[in-house]
Amino acid sequence: AQTVTQSQPEMSVQEAETVTLSCTYDTSESNYYLFWYKQPPSRQMILVIRQEAYKQQNATENRFSVNFQKAAKSFSLKISDSQLGDTAMYFCAFRRAQGAQKLVFGQGTRLTINP
Amino acid sequence: KAGVTQTPRYLIKTRGQQVTLSCSPISGHRSVSWYQQTPGQGLQFLFEYFSETQRNKGNFPGRFSGRQFSNSRSEMNVSTLELGDSALYLCASSFRTSGGADTQYFGPGTRLTVL
């Protein structure tokens, strides 16, 4: 079974700073997808970024980028120029490439951006 | 395009009752997955429906069931409610291509409180 671990329960940074959230996972699959979702106080789960395991290039979406290390099974999220609206719970998630749409989530990191 | 919608947004029930939650996926999406979110257990996969058939099921008792209609709308039902069923229930939809390169998009959730 796959597991996802987020070792930082909480983080806090000042607005405009850069912050990196850590995620490690365990799987015997060779092809899979990794995601970062954010859940603001409204509780709406919002996709931040997605990475395909077969792609060596790290995914980027505006201020959000990942550092995907397949051999180390590590998938960290970097948020540049952090904004107050980035305050949220961030969840790392794993999904097998074929078949099941089941997402396996980490326990989450509560990120607070301070003015 | 309208997002995933869930109804109702809030529910209060008493132990022993049953409850039905509804989810309407994004137009064109054929797969609907359900997740339970609690402070103690985090986000856990309940089941996935695709083409009106349950495709995958998480580790939940038989009191949790669901179905999907021909228009891809899905309902989940919890019978004989227990206090531990209090949670945020999230629905996610995806297109579910044969290659598996799908992203799940989440609805706002239904907050169920069992008294």
Side-chain angles (χ1 to χ4, degrees):
Chain A
Q2 292 83 17
T3 59
V4 177
T5 303
Q6 293 179 248
S7 58
Q8 305 150 312
E10 292 190 37
M11 296 187 72
S12 178
V13 299
Q14 297 298 119
E15 194 175 6
E17 289 184 344
T18 294
V19 60
T20 299
L21 280 57
S22 301
C23 172
T24 57
Y25 58 95
D26 187 27
T27 184
S28 58
E29 304 275 335
S30 60
N31 198 15
Y32 47 86
Y33 296 92
L34 295 165
F35 304 86
W36 280 98
Y37 284 91
K38 67 181 274 190
Q39 189 178 42
S42 67
R43 309 297 277 174
Q44 173 83 51
M45 193 75 78
I46 301 165
L47 176 70
V48 175
I49 201 164
R50 169 184 126 149
Q51 174 79 42
E52 291 88 346
Y54 63 86
K55 288 186 178 179
Q56 292 186 331
Q57 187 174 7
N58 289 323
T60 61
E61 285 288 344
N62 301 314
R63 299 182 295 107
F64 299 87
S65 61
V66 298
N67 184 2
F68 173 49
Q69 302 288 328
K70 190 172 184 180
K73 296 180 181 174
S74 170
F75 183 60
S76 61
L77 174 70
K78 186 172 83 170
I79 305 174
S80 302
D81 186 26
S82 58
Q83 301 174 359
L84 297 179
D86 296 332
T87 293
M89 281 289 288
Y90 285 79
F91 293 96
C92 178
F94 170 99
R95 183 172 69 76
R96 296 172 60 196
Q98 296 292 336
Q101 291 288 295
K102 173 185 175 181
L103 286 167
V104 178
F105 287 92
Q107 287 299 102
T109 296
R110 184 177 302 279
L111 176 65
T112 301
I113 309 298
N114 298 305
Chain B
K1 226 180 218 186
V4 179
T5 58
Q6 292 187 245
T7 57
R9 295 292 310 277
Y10 302 92
L11 265 179
I12 300 176
K13 293 285 187 179
T14 56
R15 279 181 298 173
Q17 288 187 310
Q18 76 166 20
V19 67
T20 299
L21 313 181
S22 180
C23 172
S24 292
I26 291 171
S27 178
H29 284 191
R30 299 164 62 198
S31 168
V32 173
S33 298
W34 290 89
Y35 295 85
Q36 181 196 64
Q37 185 176 22
T38 60
Q41 299 299 315
L43 282 148
Q44 294 186 287
F45 172 79
L46 279 156
F47 30 63
E48 179 208 358
Y49 284 86
F50 175 68
S51 293
E52 301 177 62
T53 303
Q54 187 180 91
R55 301 293 174 156
N56 301 283
K57 190 177 193 308
N59 189 24
F60 279 83
R63 301 185 297 106
F64 291 82
S65 62
R67 59 178 175 167
Q68 187 179 36
F69 302 94
S70 59
N71 62 357
S72 295
R73 188 177 70 86
S74 177
E75 290 181 346
M76 68 162 281
N77 184 76
V78 188
S79 62
T80 319
L81 284 166
E82 300 177 359
L83 294 179
D85 297 332
S86 293
L88 180 69
Y89 289 88
L90 293 165
C91 162
S93 78
S94 67
F95 188 73
R96 209 184 204 272
T97 59
S98 59
D102 294 287
T103 295
Q104 291 183 46
Y105 295 92
F106 284 81
T110 294
R111 168 74 65 186
L112 172 65
T113 301
V114 181
L115 302 176

